[in-house]
Amino acid sequence: MLGVLAAATSGELADAIAHLGEQPATLDLKPAETGLVMLRGRIGGDGAPFNVGEATVTRVVVRIATGEVGYGYRLGRDRGAARNAALIDALWQASHDRAGFEARVLDPIRARVAAERDRASREAAASRVDFFTLARETT
């Protein structure tokens, strides 16, 4: 679920909050803060790990009036989007109808992400080149 919120655009998160209606009172346990995380990689996917570089990340932790704690992590410096992600996480935990909540809030985001991945996959497949060698018989 947090992966879906991390992939959401700021607008999608703001729209989701707006469509959820009146929100319970919230307390920021960790107000929005921006920092750096080290990105690590591996050559070939299984080689020795190495540091690729750093990325800016913003995180927020909120508690809603019913006691649920929500977490929001976002690449970049968008504090509002990180707070909206944390609030949606807490509201999802508090929801008695999680299937309905996911259908209204998370499924549209999942559909957009899947469509973008499919489009990128088709574009990559269209430019694919197959190399082959012919075995020559020498006489």
Side-chain angles (χ1 to χ4, degrees), residues 30-112:
K30 284 190 183 268
E33 57 186 0
T34 302
L36 295 172
V37 294
M38 180 61 67
L39 302 176
R40 302 202 66 188
R42 294 177 182 264
I43 295 177
D46 59 358
F50 64 95
N51 295 336
V52 175
E54 296 173 331
T56 305
V57 175
T58 302
R59 73 174 176 179
V60 178
V61 181
V62 299
R63 179 184 297 139
I64 58 175
T66 55
E68 288 78 7
V69 176
Y71 299 86
Y73 287 85
R74 301 279 299 176
L75 280 174
R77 300 175 184 271
D78 191 343
R79 293 171 177 242
R83 190 169 195 294
N84 285 342
L87 181 57
I88 291 170
D89 179 39
L91 293 171
W92 177 81
Q93 293 175 51
S95 176
H96 297 292
D97 179 23
R98 286 194 181 159
F101 186 93
E102 289 196 14
R104 288 188 320 272
V105 176
L106 301 176
D107 287 349
I109 299 168
R110 286 184 181 120
R112 181 195 49 84

Side-chain angles (χ1 to χ4, degrees), residues 113-137:
V113 169
E116 286 179 1
R117 284 186 183 154
D118 184 53
R119 181 187 49 77
S121 177
R122 280 182 300 178
E123 287 176 4
S127 65
R128 182 177 172 192
V129 177
D130 289 323
F131 293 96
F132 61 92
T133 51
L134 296 173
R136 293 189 207 178
E137 288 186 35

